[in-house]
Amino acid sequence: MSPHSVNDVSEAIPPGGIAIVVGASGGIGGALYRRLSLQSCFSTVLALGRGSSPALDLTDEESMAAAARHVAGLGGELRLLIDASGLLHGDGMAPEKSWRDLDPAHMARAFAVNAIGPALLMKHFLPLLPRQGRSVFATLSARVGSIGDNRLGGWYSYRASKAALNQFVRTAAIELGRRQPGAICVALHPGTVSTPLSAPFVKAGLDVQTPEEAAARLLDTIEGLGPGSSGGFFDHRGDPVPW
């Protein structure tokens, strides 16, 4: 991977296409949107979320379908979509320390945002990726979603929903490879980032990145993905994460 001043991915992705960030209202998503907006290789950079026009809500499939129709009508080729959404806590929901804390409503909410929503994004946006040339669909997963790397326990719903997301990515990548061999579908672990999502859980000694640092590393990782990377799970340094 060769870093550029604004992590330009133009060497890998044909110029003149469309880039989309889903969840740009969040810390990482906002930083990704700002960096992509500085790049010359994309003719259009869109931020999609509940407050955008068109609105996109990960718990409302029709809003995703409508957003996909809007993108298809723009006339350009969708070359990059980064899903930067995720739910760890809020609205009375917190990561479980024990099975005693499991709550079916909280579990369903975690799966709706962290797994089902991104899977439906794949349903509606993967068909928009061009049949020729390189394109990338990347969704933010989390290392705690790795089953092989789970040594601490806890965080049941978040872990399980991100593990489900990883399986959706792997499965969709196989189908995508048959239809659009130049397209890549991956899960990315952004690391620990100073955002409202992670703020209550940051401990001393962790490598905590700013959103801008995380965005730069993620775009470098995307730049370095090869054709055999599709269906993989990688961290912000470009290293594979165990399933």
Side-chain angles (χ1 to χ4, degrees):
M1 289 179 287
S2 56
H4 303 276
S5 60
V6 290
N7 302 91
D8 197 312
V9 294
S10 59
E11 292 180 1
I13 293 178
I18 298 169
I20 297 173
V21 178
V22 175
S25 61
I28 300 175
L32 285 165
Y33 174 74
R34 289 189 293 273
R35 295 189 78 84
L36 287 171
S37 296
L38 295 174
Q39 296 188 3
S40 60
C41 64
F42 297 108
S43 61
T44 304
V45 180
L46 298 177
L48 294 179
R50 285 178 292 180
S52 65
S53 180
L56 188 154
D57 185 337
L58 287 180
T59 62
D60 179 358
E61 183 179 2
E62 177 50 38
S63 76
M64 289 183 259
R69 290 192 295 268
H70 172 79
V71 172
L74 293 177
E77 294 181 322
L78 177 59
R79 288 293 176 179
L80 175 64
L81 189 151
I82 305 176
D83 168 33
S85 61
L87 175 67
L88 176 58
H89 61 89
D91 297 327
M93 178 179 172
E96 307 94 344
K97 295 181 179 180
S98 164
W99 59 59
R100 294 185 297 272
D101 301 323
L102 290 174
D103 177 275
H106 292 170
M107 295 173 74
R109 176 68 175 165
F111 272 81
V113 175
N114 295 332
I116 298 171
L120 292 174
L121 280 179
M122 296 175 207
K123 173 183 176 180
H124 292 286
F125 283 91
L126 288 182
L128 301 185
L129 299 180
R131 289 188 175 272
Q132 302 295 325
R134 180 183 172 98
S135 58
V136 178
F137 179 105
T139 184
L140 296 193
S141 186
R143 185 177 292 275
V144 296
S146 166
I147 295 174
D149 194 55
N150 184 357
R151 296 177 179 83
L152 297 176
W155 290 33
Y156 284 80
S157 297
Y158 190 69
R159 286 185 186 275
S161 60
K162 288 297 189 179
L165 172 61
N166 293 345
Q167 183 67 279
F168 281 133
V169 166
R170 183 73 168 185
T171 304
I174 294 171
E175 182 176 358
L176 182 66
R178 301 188 188 115
R179 297 166 50 90
Q180 292 124 301
I184 295 173
C185 180
V186 291
L188 300 178
H189 166 58
T192 303
V193 184
S194 179
T195 66
L197 183 143
S198 63
F201 311 103
V202 172
K203 298 179 181 178
L206 289 178
D207 176 19
V208 181
Q209 309 165 79
T210 66
E212 289 72 22
E213 289 170 335
R217 291 183 181 182
L218 289 168
L219 291 176
D220 272 345
T221 297
I222 289 171
E223 180 185 347
L225 296 174
S229 302
S230 193
F233 182 18
F234 303 93
D235 70 11
H236 54 97
R237 297 181 179 88
D239 297 324
V241 180
W243 296 117

